[in-house]
Amino acid sequence: MAFRQLKNPGKDNSQRTSPSSQFAPWHEVPSSQIVSIEHPLIVQNVSKIAGTLGGEAKMTQLVKPESIKSKGSLYLRPEDRAAKPIMSSNLTAGGILIRVCMPKRTSRRRKRGSQGPFMHFHDDGVEENKELHLSTQKIADSRDVQQLLGSLRDNQECYSVEAVGKVVQTHRFRSMSDFVWSTTKSPFMQKVREHIIPLQVESLKAFTFDPSKGQTIGTDIPPPPSFTHLPVPFNYQYQQNPNLKHVLDNEGNLNMVNLSANRRLNHIILQYNAAEVPVSAPLGAQAVESMDKAARDLIAAVRPLLDERPVWTRRALRHRLKTEAWTNVGKWVFPCVGYQFSSGPWRDTVIRFGHDPRTDPQSRFYQTIQFQLDNRIATLKYKKTDQTLRNWGGSRKTTQTDQDYYFDGRSLARDGKIWQVCDITDPLLLPIINTTLVRKTCEPRNDGWYHNGTWAKLRSIMRDKVARLLKGQDVPDDEEYARILAFPDILTTKNRHLTVLPRNQFKTVAMDVSVTLRAHVSKTGFESYDVDSEVEMGSAKAFGGIQSNRNTLSDFQSVEIDDAEIERRKELDEEEDGEDEPRLSDAAEDSDGYYEYDRDNGDDPADAEDGIDVDDDLEDVSIGSASAIPKPPLSFDTLVKFPLGAKITRAENIAIRLNGLILTTFSTGPTVYQVDPFRDTGNFLPVATFPGVNSTLGIAELSHDIFYVAAGILDLASFNVGPASFAVWEVDVRGLTTKDISKAKVKVAARFPKAKALNGLLALNSKTLLIADCELAVVWSLDVPTGAVAIVASDPLMAPPLTATNPIGINGIKVFGSDLFFTNYANGTLNRIPINLKTGKSTGPASIIVDGVPGSDDFVFDAYGDAFIAGNSPANELYLVKNAAGGGKNVENLGTFKGTTAGAFGRTKGLEKTLFLTGDGIFAEGSGFKLTGGSVAKTYVGVKREPVQ
């Protein structure tokens, strides 16, 4: 290998005439291979270089070409072995190591202080310079480097170049050094340095640990081997914001301006207790004349509306104007036409300049109602069908009408979540809104011109309706809100007990709304009112509230409030914080001023840890959860044992009335019986007998004390079904006591001529029933008012296997969220299928949640989505699938209850966490089956337990 050296660098070689002088001479490169080390420090003492590289031996080994894979260690603190070294990176190189020799001294001179080249003064001096004594310059510091470069420039003809060898590999130290923990004052590390690091046998023998026991003060802890694992610095790519510019203001000062910052709107936003309201736009607001035409036109359109009505929501203005300019320039209009309150009864409205709603009682009609509902259940139900419900109230491009911002109580426009009182057209709420019983002075923080009871009733009922509409549920009839309307308009600490409803006398809707109402009033505060004034504490008038509403409501008119009733309600009010009622004092307040209720028992799964969240404002929070059950096995207390051989031998299904009494169907008879769980003897009586059938199966309550039963002709031994024998019957037990329960009104709701064997039955909404056909493997719907029947769901997972000896497929059915859940007896599975909550029609295919549940008959959900499955023969077990509504896969065996067929939770005070079960009295024993009398039993599921192994 050879290379050429350019001769006389820096001179004009074009003046040479000799052709041979135009080429640089060749230099031979020795064949020796060289390994270089790029030391990152400025070397001032060559003798210390070896110490930083681990010693001469390691440095010698490192520069050997055969050690190509070895890495060097650079110790920045070679005297401290606790310091982590920097490791080298091995790179393949292709350079040449060159030795350049310069003269130590020449006779050339230059003028003092001049930076020009050296000049020759004597001819003999020139001759002397031709015999230069060349030697290698020793570089001591940075000044020698500059001297060497200057010498190269000044002695272009008096230096020599020699190739030493080819550089084949280079060690570079480019990584960051680690942190160093000083160990100079560490006794332990001193001993390590003295005895371990020298690697001498005698020193190693002398090394000992401190044998003392116990904790000592100032324990000497050696540092870790490393502090960071980042070998290279992270590039954060910091750069100046391109939107920041420096500009000069009118006074010549240099300011920084963010060109991307939003322009200030100069809104006037007041607190609810502001002393005065503005009468004109603020000084900083943009002048109307300087705005573009779209903004000017919008201002011209808004001002007449504010003259017509001094307070508007943006939502209402948007619907009234119906202009595309609203989206682009609407926010610039408000500072020019009005102001707003950030809190209080007129929150988030545009109010005309100069108008103070706190001084005008007529402005009560312009108060706003806004809800921040917990939308977890709505999200769960609509996640497969309507994604717009996930964040209701946001702006969406929808078809808008003039009435979209109104609330009629039966439909819900989802482009906003704030309403003004004057935009509520619900007939149930209008008497509350138009009441003349208002405050003499405005309460500007919460209730405005309305009394606290009036405002709480309006908000609570409307909140319940909005939440149900969000979930896709039907809004209850007005009569279910009757007791809420009858609450006092003025609530004080003395009559608060009048808002407490006994659990066993009123429907769930009224119970839910009453709890919400008390939560609202507890937050906003009670009024102080004279006992001799318009509200008489403890009287029927005080309980009646808005009297005009009572003349239009049905069942609840005749309730008389005597002194004993008042005292009992006071006791219920005091017990409100007990174990069976949500505790308002411990509730977590949401941004709307309402509460999400904690399950107050430590036994309850307060965090819904299994994945299903429940909107506690609308669900019965006192129902027990499957994640809180006694230790195995569960004990089953038999309430009634039916006689063997009678038509009531095999209990099939169960429904519990609001008063706690139990209705039971029988697969071996045509009669529905009532079981009294509060009596020990004589506790079951016949309720209704259906002619022309021999079997009653599914049962469900559609409205208060109106039940529907699936009945037909069925041979249990062969499972042969009478042709066109099945029908759904209505059983009306309203107003009947235990003595006259047999006087129940019975009629056919609808016949199913094309059905095979109707089994499980549920109420989908206020007018629709769903019925499982276990042999045809479909789900029927029944529109009760019209009697129309139709198949709404069919799926292979509903059918029994072809090899099954017992052709029972789909059995129990329940709705949770937006899904229909069903068991398959022959397959031993729990399944789900999405449905339309209005019609029950399936909207997708079915899927298996869990299998391996032998004899899976009917089942029941608790409020947290845990499923209790009745495992009929041959299993004879009660099973639990935790978080079944959320897709839970864990199946637990809770205990043995022979022939269990169905279950339901209690509905009266103290029994909400008690599970009532029916058993058909037939169960597998040995190689056959044993038949005993059916039964009804109960078991408590309110205490935590371990699963059955």
Side-chain angles (χ1 to χ4, degrees), residues 298-472:
L298 192 58
I299 292 174
V302 170
R303 282 175 173 170
L305 295 179
L306 287 173
D307 293 335
E308 170 190 334
R309 176 170 132 188
V311 184
W312 287 81
T313 61
R314 294 180 177 85
R315 178 187 183 192
L317 285 174
R318 183 174 69 251
H319 283 274
R320 282 292 297 270
L321 295 174
K322 291 186 294 185
T323 174
E324 296 294 335
W326 184 273
T327 304
N328 300 322
V329 299
K331 62 182 179 180
W332 303 101
V333 170
F334 299 132
C336 301
V337 296
Y339 68 97
Q340 68 183 64
F341 285 104
S342 62
S343 59
W346 295 275
R347 171 187 173 185
D348 294 336
T349 58
V350 179
I351 306 173
R352 186 183 64 210
F353 286 126
H355 178 76
D356 189 351
R358 301 169 298 178
T359 62
D360 180 14
Q362 291 299 316
S363 292
R364 67 183 184 274
F365 300 113
Y366 307 135
Q367 292 181 206
T368 59
I369 297 179
Q370 184 175 5
F371 301 113
Q372 296 287 343
L373 289 176
D374 184 352
N375 210 25
R376 290 174 291 181
I377 288 185
T379 301
L380 172 67
K381 291 184 177 182
Y382 287 88
K383 63 184 179 181
K384 297 181 181 178
T385 58
D386 189 356
Q387 297 293 332
T388 64
L389 286 182
R390 289 183 177 270
N391 295 301
W392 74 287
S395 60
R396 301 182 182 90
K397 294 183 178 180
T398 57
T399 303
Q400 299 179 354
T401 66
D402 292 342
Q403 305 297 320
D404 278 352
Y405 61 95
Y406 285 76
F407 180 76
D408 60 5
R410 295 293 169 181
S411 60
L412 183 66
R414 298 185 176 93
D415 67 333
K417 51 185 176 181
I418 182 172
W419 292 266
Q420 285 183 272
V421 171
C422 59
D423 296 330
I424 299 174
T425 60
D426 186 354
L428 178 67
L429 302 178
L430 286 178
I432 305 177
I433 295 171
N434 297 323
T435 181
T436 58
L437 181 60
V438 297
R439 296 175 185 263
K440 295 181 181 180
T441 58
C442 177
E443 195 283 301
R445 183 169 186 174
N446 297 298
D447 303 325
W449 289 101
Y450 288 101
H451 285 292
N452 61 344
T454 306
W455 191 243
K457 288 187 289 185
L458 177 61
R459 287 184 61 92
S460 302
I461 295 175
M462 185 173 174
R463 177 186 176 88
D464 183 76
K465 289 191 173 186
V466 170
R468 293 178 185 274
L469 290 171
L470 276 176
K471 297 178 183 181

Side-chain angles (χ1 to χ4, degrees), residues 739-754:
K739 294 181 180 180
D740 55 4
I741 190 64
S742 59
K743 298 179 181 179
K745 299 177 183 179
V746 179
K747 68 176 182 180
V748 176
R751 295 195 178 275
F752 291 71
K754 297 183 180 180

